[in-house]
């Protein structure tokens, strides 16, 4: 990756990029942090054993030093001693092995979590290229890893030398006095040294974990163009989406106009709004809006209604309220039941008057709550 390319990658990685990287097994990991957790767990388990661990060590040494005459001439001695020694060794190191095993499984949770990726197990033959390998060694990340190794070596070596110098008198005293007390003291010194070693690894691992997280985020950064391309890929081309919406609108409008001849009444104001209602008492709980429109579409609804001799009732407030509150193919709200019932009763009376040749009844003008008109109240 060139320096210019790094400078262009100024945007934080998207969720999609992070998810793809995780699927490939590319998540932040710190070997130093994992190693520190394992060492601290093992040392803690060993130290917590205390006298019990020392007793196992004594028994193992005792098996090699305490034999009777009959045992020495027995051909079963090696097998029996080996079996007992292995049993004592297992009892000594089993807690340590269990603690380190649990720490090995738990350590990844501290940074990137536990994740299995089948893609990470696939062979990558390009890694066998020696030139590419040299490039990775002398790349920035390779140099950083080399610097970290040198720092760990110098830091741990310096601290252990200081400890050895500070504990020199105690180390020398372990060769004098009672064997049991000397062994207990030596194991205590060894445990403290191992605990100090693990603590240093923990400090280094914590710093390395912060760096690995930063480096992982930096490697996955994106350019502004990559973000735009990914947005287009995931959300679709805006022009194509607009075209799809236009086609959907045209199809919905065509279906609406096809249903319009089934309307019982069209409620309109003089020019702007038109709403077609249908009511089937046996199949519907309330009148249903089967078509509606404003301006040009409202005029088309009026024309189609006229050609199919559908009654047209001009009630501007009710037309606006129906348009604002009810979607196509939905029943009207309860707040408009009375007003619509007045209109349907008028339509029924109008049809009866036409059949009998009477004068048409006066058109109703129902009262409508202005809040039901929404943005169309004025």
């Amino acid at each position: 990756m060139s320096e210019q390319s790094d400078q262009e990658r100024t945007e934080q990685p998207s969720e999609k990029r992070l998810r793809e990287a995780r699927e490939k097994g590319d998540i932040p990991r710190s070997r130093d942090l994992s190693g520190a957790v394992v060492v601290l767990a093992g040392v803690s388990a060993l130290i917590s054993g205390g006298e019990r661990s020392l007793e196992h060590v004594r028994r193992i040494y005792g098996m090699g030093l305490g034999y009777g005459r009959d045992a020495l001439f027995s051909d079963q001695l090696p097998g029996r001693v080996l079996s007992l020694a292995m049993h004592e060794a297992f009892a000594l190191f089993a807690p340590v092995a269990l603690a380190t095993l649990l720490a090995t499984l738990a350590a990844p949770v501290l940074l990137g979590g536990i994740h299995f990726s089948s893609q990470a197990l696939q062979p990558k033959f390009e890694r066998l290229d020696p030139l590419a390998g040299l490039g990775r060694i002398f790349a920035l990340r390779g140099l950083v890893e080399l610097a970290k190794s040198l720092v760990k070596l110098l830091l741990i070596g310096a601290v252990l030398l200081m400890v050895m110098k500070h504990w020199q008198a105690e180390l020398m005293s372990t060769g004098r006095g009672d064997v049991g007390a000397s062994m207990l003291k030596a194991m205590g010194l060894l445990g403290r040294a191992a605990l100090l070693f693990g603590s240093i690894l923990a400090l280094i691992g914590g710093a390395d974990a912060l760096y690995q997280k930063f480096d992982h985020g930096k490697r996955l950064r994106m350019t502004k163009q990559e973000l735009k391309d990914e947005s287009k890929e995931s959300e679709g081309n805006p022009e194509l989406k607009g075209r799809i919406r236009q086609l959907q609108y045209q199809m919905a409008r065509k279906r609406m106009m096809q249903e319009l001849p089934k309307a019982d009444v069209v409620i309109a104001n003089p020019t702007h709004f038109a709403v077609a209602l249908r009511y089937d008492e046996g199949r519907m709980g309330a009148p249903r809006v089967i078509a509606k429109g404003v301006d040009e579409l409202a005029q088309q609804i009026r024309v189609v209604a006229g050609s199919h001799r559908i009654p047209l009732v001009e009630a501007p407030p009710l037309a606006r309220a129906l348009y604002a509150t009810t979607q196509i193919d939905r029943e009207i709200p309860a707040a408009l039941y009375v007003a619509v019932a007045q209109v349907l009763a008028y339509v029924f009376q109008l049809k009866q008057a036409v059949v009998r040749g009477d004068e048409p009844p006066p058109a109703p003008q129902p009262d409508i709550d202005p809040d039901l008109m929404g943005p169309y109240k004025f």
Side-chain angles (χ1 to χ4, degrees), residues 215-247:
D215 183 63
H216 181 261
K218 182 179 178 182
R219 285 189 293 105
L220 294 182
R221 283 180 185 173
M222 307 172 68
T223 63
K224 289 183 171 61
Q225 185 60 41
E226 287 176 335
L227 280 177
K228 291 180 181 178
D229 294 342
E230 184 179 288
S231 177
K232 286 183 179 180
E233 181 181 349
S234 59
E235 298 179 4
N237 191 307
E239 297 179 358
L240 180 60
K241 290 178 67 178
R243 177 60 178 165
I244 292 174
R245 284 196 298 266
Q246 183 181 4
L247 291 174

Side-chain angles (χ1 to χ4, degrees), residues 136-166:
R136 287 193 296 269
I137 292 175
F138 293 102
L140 178 60
R141 295 186 65 191
L143 295 177
V144 170
E145 293 296 328
L146 177 61
K148 288 196 307 181
S149 300
L150 292 176
V151 169
K152 285 190 290 185
L153 178 62
L154 293 175
L155 181 60
I156 294 174
V159 171
L160 291 182
L161 284 175
M162 293 172 60
V163 169
M164 293 285 288
K165 186 175 181 180
H166 180 71

